[in-house]
Amino acid sequence: MAIAMVRSGQCLKQGTANMFIYGVPRTTLLDKLAGRVPEENVRPGKKPVLTADEERKLVDFANTMCNVCFRP
């Protein structure tokens, strides 16, 4: 929202970054507005090999195999 407010002219870059409503560090806001970092939230580290759906299916399969093959 801080980026949208600056782009629409409702706030200045420095003023928006200091607002407690958004909690955005000034340097982060300036970097995103300048295009040095992507605007969308990104997670640090490598991208996952499996999608969330693939991971869920793998967990379901493992649980099924445990129930079928390793009954107590």
Side-chain angles (χ1 to χ4, degrees):
M1 288 188 78
I3 292 171
M5 289 188 72
V6 171
R7 288 200 174 136
S8 69
Q10 293 177 351
C11 289
L12 297 174
K13 293 177 190 178
Q14 292 80 8
T16 306
N18 293 325
M19 294 174 68
F20 289 105
I21 296 171
Y22 300 110
V24 178
R26 181 177 164 271
T27 53
T28 301
L29 179 62
L30 295 175
D31 285 344
K32 288 181 183 258
L33 287 167
R36 289 187 284 267
V37 294
E39 287 184 26
E40 64 276 351
N41 291 332
V42 293
R43 297 178 68 186
K46 293 182 180 181
K47 291 185 179 182
V49 175
L50 300 174
T51 65
D53 187 49
E54 290 171 331
E55 186 174 347
R56 183 187 49 76
K57 287 179 181 178
L58 185 60
V59 169
D60 290 344
F61 176 76
N63 287 332
T64 301
M65 291 287 91
C66 284
N67 290 335
V68 171
C69 299
F70 300 106
R71 289 192 171 177

